[in-house]
Amino acid sequence: MIIYGILAIVTIALSLFVKNRDIKISYGYSRQQVLNGVCLISVFLLLFGVSALRLNVGNDYAKYVEFFHLIRCKLDTDVVVPTEFGFNLICLLIYFVSGKTENYLLMFAFFAFVTIFLFLKAMYKQADSFGFTFFLFMTLGYYFQTFSTVRYYLALAMAVIAIPYVIKKKWINFILICLLGATIHKSMLIVIPLYFLAQIKWNKIFTFLVLLVSASFLIFQNFYMEIFLKVYPTYEETEYLEGGTSYISIVRCVAVLILSLALYEKTVKNSERNRFYFVCNIGALILYTCCSFLPVISRVGYYLTITQIFFIPSLIMGIENKKIRKVITVLVVLAAIGYFLIFLVIKAPQDGLRILPYETFLYHDMVPILSDVS
């Protein structure tokens, strides 16, 4: 816990020196650009180092070691690997380059490198305030959750990279990124309809249809569950089929909705980007309230709630009254810190995440995987 706390404090402090907007250059590199580069590289190395050095940290770490082992066996046998072919292909290429040695540490380091790089790049390109956005990225737990479900969070990072193409309506680029991400984690296919619906202007008729479909999820749960099991047949008759929702995510979505409605005329109505974020927040609220019966609904919800790290700073920066802006900023910062503390104390050690205690291969040994004991 201390390591995570120090990491968050140091990286957030460094991020506050990064200015990703209105950089003026007379010739060569400006002082701010050099400072941006130093801080961004430092932040990346710190995040990557903690992620790459971990051992058996994350609820599915051992499962991924098993996946890597099966993929390695695929070089010599016809063993079936349950992960997507794009993920398998990347692993096979790494094995080939590294002399076919079964080095799962290298695999985790590679995926950590790409995931963190994509998230930082997206924040630098899209955030109104890199420091504020990065603060939310850390305190809302997005970085630390990359320790689990490695494939999913790489796909999530790719989804964030794709957002500008949605807003600019460059659909070919957007769909290509989604299809590529789906070869890593097929849940990214859901991003195509979700982000498409989020960027169009809603009229009264469309809003009514959205409410009608949302209500249908509550009424026809068995029907939607059958569709889900056809897409994810491996979930049938498992503990993952129980479903569930995140009440704290609902509270967060409601808070963001209230703030955005209060500032809608000035900061949302005439901004295509903020309207996209606004609808994503509403979509996440609908998923968490109407679709809680579906397994791991949070994975779909995260594709929508990740936009809050951009939306919240944009809303606050749109408040004209300086005193009110400062008060709202303080409240958001305190709420995010409170969430982070709850996340570390309560959620981080639980089986669903299990990123505590932090262990590293420098001082610990890997537990046996399924192939070692069977």
Side-chain angles (χ1 to χ4, degrees):
M1 187 182 301
I2 295 176
I3 293 175
Y4 294 157
I6 294 174
L7 177 67
I9 292 171
V10 173
T11 54
I12 290 170
L14 287 168
S15 74
L16 296 177
F17 291 101
V18 176
K19 307 299 180 186
N20 61 320
R21 290 290 180 267
D22 301 323
I23 300 176
K24 297 180 180 180
I25 308 170
S26 55
Y27 60 90
Y29 292 97
S30 67
R31 183 178 299 176
Q32 184 60 56
Q33 281 186 304
V34 174
L35 182 60
N36 285 353
V38 171
C39 291
L40 285 170
I41 291 172
S42 299
V43 168
F44 173 80
L45 291 176
L46 288 168
L47 297 181
F48 171 69
V50 171
S51 184
L53 291 173
R54 77 187 192 277
L55 180 74
N56 201 25
V57 175
N59 68 305
D60 54 1
Y61 190 97
K63 183 185 293 185
Y64 269 93
V65 175
E66 175 73 13
F67 289 159
F68 296 145
H69 171 71
L70 293 176
I71 293 169
R72 168 63 183 84
C73 292
K74 196 173 181 64
L75 289 172
D76 306 312
T77 64
D78 293 329
V79 64
V80 177
V81 184
T83 46
E84 288 81 356
F85 76 90
F87 176 79
N88 298 345
L89 180 60
I90 292 172
C91 294
L92 287 172
L93 289 173
I94 295 174
Y95 277 136
F96 181 78
V97 173
S98 61
K100 299 184 180 180
T101 57
E102 196 164 320
N103 189 342
Y104 58 85
L105 298 174
L106 179 61
M107 297 292 185
F108 282 112
F110 173 83
F111 288 106
F113 184 98
V114 177
T115 302
I116 296 168
F117 175 81
L118 291 179
F119 271 125
L120 290 178
K121 181 179 180 180
M123 285 186 275
Y124 186 79
K125 293 290 185 181
Q126 300 176 42
D128 287 336
S129 169
F130 179 84
F132 203 164
T133 292
F134 182 80
F135 166 78
L136 294 174
F137 175 72
M138 293 298 291
T139 54
L140 296 182
Y142 287 110
Y143 162 71
F144 297 100
Q145 293 186 92
T146 63
F147 293 178
S148 298
T149 54
V150 172
R151 290 159 30 248
Y152 170 77
Y153 276 93
L154 176 54
L156 181 62
M158 296 176 71
V160 178
I161 287 289
I163 288 175
Y165 297 113
V166 178
I167 297 170
K168 295 176 182 177
K169 296 180 175 58
K170 294 184 178 181
W171 298 115
I172 294 177
N173 303 66
F174 166 64
I175 292 174
L176 286 176
I177 293 175
C178 290
L179 293 177
L180 180 62
T183 68
I184 306 297
H185 199 282
K186 60 185 175 182
S187 68
M188 196 171 174
L189 290 174
I190 197 66
V191 170
I192 297 176
L194 287 179
Y195 283 9
F196 175 77
L197 292 174
Q199 65 81 41
I200 63 177
K201 290 184 178 181
W202 290 21
N203 53 31
K204 292 181 180 180
I205 296 177
F206 189 79
T207 302
F208 174 76
L209 290 175
V210 170
L211 293 175
L212 191 65
V213 172
S214 300
S216 73
F217 278 103
L218 296 174
I219 300 171
F220 304 107
Q221 293 186 5
N222 292 334
F223 170 74
Y224 287 111
M225 181 63 77
E226 289 179 7
I227 295 176
F228 175 86
L229 289 177
K230 288 181 180 179
V231 179
Y232 290 95
T234 55
Y235 278 85
E236 193 165 6
E237 298 182 358
T238 67
E239 69 274 14
Y240 300 110
L241 208 57
E242 296 177 0
T245 191
S246 172
Y247 296 107
I248 196 165
S249 294
I250 292 175
V251 171
R252 201 169 84 204
C253 289
V254 170
V256 173
L257 179 61
I258 293 172
L259 180 62
S260 59
L261 287 174
L263 300 168
Y264 188 85
E265 289 296 325
K266 292 184 178 180
T267 61
V268 179
K269 185 178 180 179
N270 297 317
S271 170
E272 289 193 19
R273 184 183 59 167
N274 283 347
R275 281 204 312 271
F276 173 80
Y277 298 153
F278 177 76
V279 176
C280 281
N281 187 71
I282 293 177
L285 185 58
I286 291 173
L287 285 175
Y288 286 124
T289 53
C290 300
C291 306
S292 60
F293 64 94
L294 292 174
V296 293
I297 194 62
S298 61
R299 291 191 181 182
V300 180
Y302 275 17
Y303 284 120
L304 300 174
T305 60
I306 189 66
T307 60
Q308 291 176 353
I309 68 176
F310 303 108
F311 193 31
I312 294 172
S314 181
L315 288 172
I316 293 175
M317 292 174 70
I319 300 175
E320 296 178 353
N321 188 301
K322 292 183 178 180
K323 290 184 178 180
I324 295 177
R325 185 165 66 240
K326 287 181 180 179
V327 171
I328 298 297
T329 301
V330 170
L331 291 176
V332 170
V333 168
L334 291 177
I337 293 174
Y339 178 90
F340 183 57
L341 294 175
I342 294 173
F343 173 82
L344 287 182
V345 175
I346 298 177
K347 190 174 180 180
Q350 292 179 352
D351 288 339
L353 190 58
R354 209 181 63 76
I355 61 172
L356 281 174
Y358 180 78
E359 296 181 351
T360 169
F361 64 81
L362 299 175
Y363 304 107
H364 301 88
D365 296 320
M366 181 60 195
V367 298
I369 61 173
L370 181 63
S371 295
D372 294 331
V373 297
S374 60

